[in-house]
């Protein structure tokens, strides 16, 4: 599988990563190699095989709906890069 | 430097008899860390309050009667820096989280804290646990205590190096594709990747959620069993933790192993494995035979597809899990940006290293519309085949013996520019994570360069007891001195 530069740029945007031109070239090479590497799986016929997402039987885990104590404001915002102590502050989203 | 060479179990016993004081042990450990860190770089953060906490525990100890003293009272442990310890930094070895302070304790930490443990420091790792050499850490590479020019393995390389160098008494790591077992093998210490669901993942920074599992890294098998008993069990905060009682793994050490059957999978002794690694494994097998274990050749036919399967599933889950690092909640945000999307893109571009970016992009690609069936779903189906291989094998044998890593510790920089070469370092460990099974990695000798070689014992789901029973007796039979000169 060979990715084009345009495809790498598109994947980077979907991944929310801005890349320099040099990085685009480097990842074009490396991502293409990895995708070629994993193509080996196509050797296997998996028709009719159920996908195994994990070994523990998946089941709904429910708990009683009891109100508890949540994080304080202080704890919630202690790691935020920009906050007024009660909100996370982000760049303006809605345009005029 | 007497106490730090002792095992966790011995220290626990000495503490229970009040023959040592928490501050005495902590002070000695901190001195050892200070003396070795310049060479090793096994820690990202040292808990500056550790000695103060130990002194408080000194006073408590006086008031406790001997049978009231909890198992880990006053014992300083170190923790891989992707597990939350309240009030301490938790960086995941990433610039993205370099200033992040954990607001709560992971469940494993809560359990150890209740047993009286002190958390002395946070160990270095590959960034977000992605790597096989601890070279992708934002805080610099950790060095292997057996040869400082070599890697300690990854991603729990800081934990394994510290335990080997006795700058940690024991540590907790995490294992997604071999990240506990492979560094333990390269550093000559003991590590367990428990069955998926055996230990709560609450408070572990998620990398690939269906594969991740926390486990103990220790000087010997007994310590490992002891520590796993303390951290295992169901947790309401982790919906994937198993509803099963936790055995006393230290009791399992004495279980009889005569007559057990061990499988030797032919696919694990392939070309590319260093001859000396194979020799040491076969010597360990001989020891097992002399202990009364029957050896049988088995086949795990889909072994050679495990790495490829992993490199679809793990990045897919990682790309989703790492979506939360967006510059809004978790410490790092780029300085100059034009709008929200630009802020996300620049924050993530500046905050993540190349290995993390590579995996996020691979995951984004394989999960994207049009490719999901061809990559992600295909990989999950191959995962079923790998799981079925093990199921069939365990109809015939009680456990499986394999190498941990195809090579001993490699040189720093040797594989870092070639992702696929690096990915193949985990060729013998990855299949277990895909199948959810437990694996014990323990030293079984050295190569001619004096570097440790590890053997892996693979068990049935939730049968860690057999692995500990076998490992304990094998360790005694091998009688290896696993103390590096440093």
């Amino acid at each position: 599988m060979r990715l084009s530069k345009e495809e790498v740029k598109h994947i980077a945007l979907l991944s929310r990563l801005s890349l320099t031109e040099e990085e685009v070239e480097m990842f074009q090479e490396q991502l293409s190699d990895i995708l070629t590497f994993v193509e080996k799986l196509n050797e296997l016929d998996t028709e009719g095989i159920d996908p195994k997402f994990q070994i523990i039987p998946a089941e709904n885990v429910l708990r009683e709906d009891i109100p508890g104590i949540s994080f304080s404001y202080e704890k919630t915002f202690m790691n935020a890069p920009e906050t007024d102590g009660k909100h996370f502050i982000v760049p303006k989203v809605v345009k005029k | 430097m007497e106490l730090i060479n002792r095992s966790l179990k011995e220290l626990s016993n000495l503490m229970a008899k009040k023959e040592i004081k928490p501050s005495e042990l902590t002070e000695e450990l901190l001195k050892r860390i200070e003396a070795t860190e310049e060479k090793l770089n096994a820690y990202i953060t040292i808990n500056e309050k550790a000695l103060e906490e130990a002194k408080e525990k000194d006073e408590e100890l006086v008031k406790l009667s001997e049978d009231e003293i909890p198992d880990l009272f006053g014992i300083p442990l170190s923790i891989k820096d992707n597990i939350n310890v309240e009030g301490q930094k938790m960086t995941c070895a990433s610039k993205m989280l370099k200033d992040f302070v954990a607001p709560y304790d992971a469940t494993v930490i809560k359990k150890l804290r209740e047993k009286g443990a002190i958390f002395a420091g946070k160990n270095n790792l590959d960034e977000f646990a992605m790597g096989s050499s601890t070279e992708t850490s934002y805080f610099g590479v950790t060095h292997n205590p057996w040869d400082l020019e070599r890697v300690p393995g990854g991603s729990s390389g800081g934990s394994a190096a510290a335990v080997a160098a006795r700058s940690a008494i024991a540590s907790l790591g995490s294992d997604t594709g071999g990240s506990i077992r492979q560094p333990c093998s390269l550093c000559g210490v003991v590590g367990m990747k428990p069955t998926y669901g055996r230990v709560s993942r609450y408070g572990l920074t998620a990398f690939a959620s269906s594969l991740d599992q926390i486990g103990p890294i220790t000087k010997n098998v007994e310590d490992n069993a002891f520590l796993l008993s303390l951290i295992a069990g169901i947790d309401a905060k982790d919906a994937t933790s198993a509803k099963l009682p936790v055995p006393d793994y230290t009791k399992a050490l004495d279980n009889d192993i005569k007559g057990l059957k061990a499988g030797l999978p032919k696919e694990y002794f392939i070309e590319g494995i260093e001859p000396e690694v194979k020799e040491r494994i076969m010597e360990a097998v001989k020891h097992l035979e002399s202990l009364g274990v029957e050896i049988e050749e088995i086949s795990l036919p889909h072994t050679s597809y495990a790495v490829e399967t992993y490199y679809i599933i793990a990045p897919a889950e990682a790309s989703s899990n790492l979506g939360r690092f967006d510059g809004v909640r978790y410490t790092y945000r780029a300085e100059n940006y034009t709008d929200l999307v630009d802020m996300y893109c620049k924050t993530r571009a500046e905050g993540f290293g190349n290995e993390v970016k590579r995996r996020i992009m691979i995951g984004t690609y394989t999960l994207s519309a049009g490719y999901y069936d061809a990559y992600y779903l295909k990989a999950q189906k191959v995962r079923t085949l790998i799981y079925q291989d093990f199921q069939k094998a365990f109809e015939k044998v009680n456990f499986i013996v394999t190498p941990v890593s195809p090579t001993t510790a490699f040189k720093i920089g040797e594989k870092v520019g070639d992702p696929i070469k690096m990915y193949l370092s985990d060729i013998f460990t990855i299949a277990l994570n895909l199948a959810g099974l437990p694996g014990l990695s323990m030293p079984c000798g050295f190569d001619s360069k004096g570097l440790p070689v590890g053997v892996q014992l693979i068990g049935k789901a939730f049968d860690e007891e057999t692995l500990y029973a076998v490992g304990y007796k094998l360790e005694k039979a091998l009688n290896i001195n696993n103390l590096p000169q440093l």
Side-chain angles (χ1 to χ4, degrees), chain B residues 13 51 124 131 249 299 429 464:
Chain B
N13 291 339
L51 194 57
N124 204 1
Y249 294 113
S299 175
T429 50
E464 285 84 0

Side-chain angles (χ1 to χ4, degrees), chain B residues 22 26 47 50-51 53-54 57 72 74-78 112 116-120:
Chain B
T26 304
N47 177 10
L51 194 57
E53 286 173 36
K57 288 223 175 339
L72 294 175
I75 296 181
L77 299 176
S78 75
L112 296 177
I118 295 167
F119 300 99

Side-chain angles (χ1 to χ4, degrees), chain A residues 1-3 7-19 23 26-27 30-57 59-61 63 71 75-83 88-93 95, chain B residues 86 99-104 195-196 210 239-240 242-243 302 304-305 307-309 312 327-331 333 337 339-341 343-346 348-349 352 354 357-358 360-362 364-366 372 375-385 387 417 419-420 423-424 435-436 462:
Chain A
M1 184 71 192
R2 186 90 205 139
L3 294 172
E7 282 174 305
V8 174
K9 285 179 186 170
H10 181 62
I11 299 164
L13 179 65
L14 291 177
S15 304
R16 296 292 183 258
L17 289 166
S18 54
L19 301 183
E23 284 174 326
M26 178 182 76
F27 285 122
Q30 292 177 343
L31 299 182
S32 298
D33 284 353
I34 294 167
L35 290 171
T36 307
F37 173 69
V38 301
E39 269 169 21
K40 190 180 171 202
L41 297 187
N42 294 328
E43 290 171 10
L44 292 171
D45 179 10
T46 50
E47 192 64 37
I49 307 277
D50 280 335
K52 184 120 201 123
F53 293 99
Q54 61 183 50
I55 65 139
I56 304 286
E59 55 178 309
N60 273 334
V61 180
R63 59 175 167 77
F71 272 0
K75 271 197 174 177
T76 305
F77 298 102
M78 65 190 264
N79 286 298
E82 202 178 345
T83 172
F88 293 105
I89 298 185
V90 297
K92 197 168 178 179
V93 180
K95 292 193 174 98
Chain B
E86 188 174 350
D99 301 315
F100 181 87
V101 177
Y104 67 97
T195 312
Y196 185 81
S210 79
T240 61
K243 266 189 228 166
H302 297 94
S304 67
Y305 298 96
V307 177
E308 288 81 355
T309 307
I312 294 175
V328 177
R329 289 156 294 163
Y330 303 104
T331 62
R333 179 185 285 189
Y337 46 84
D339 57 18
L340 190 68
V341 172
M343 184 195 85
Y344 292 156
C345 289
K346 288 199 174 124
R348 290 163 62 81
F352 291 137
N354 282 341
K357 288 180 194 170
R358 207 155 33 229
I360 289 174
M361 286 194 283
I362 283 287
T364 301
Y365 181 76
T366 59
Y372 177 89
Y375 289 101
Y376 189 68
L377 197 63
K378 177 84 186 179
Q380 295 290 15
K381 287 179 174 185
V382 178
R383 185 179 190 172
T384 305
L385 297 174
Y387 175 76
I420 290 169
Y423 294 172
L424 291 170
F462 300 104

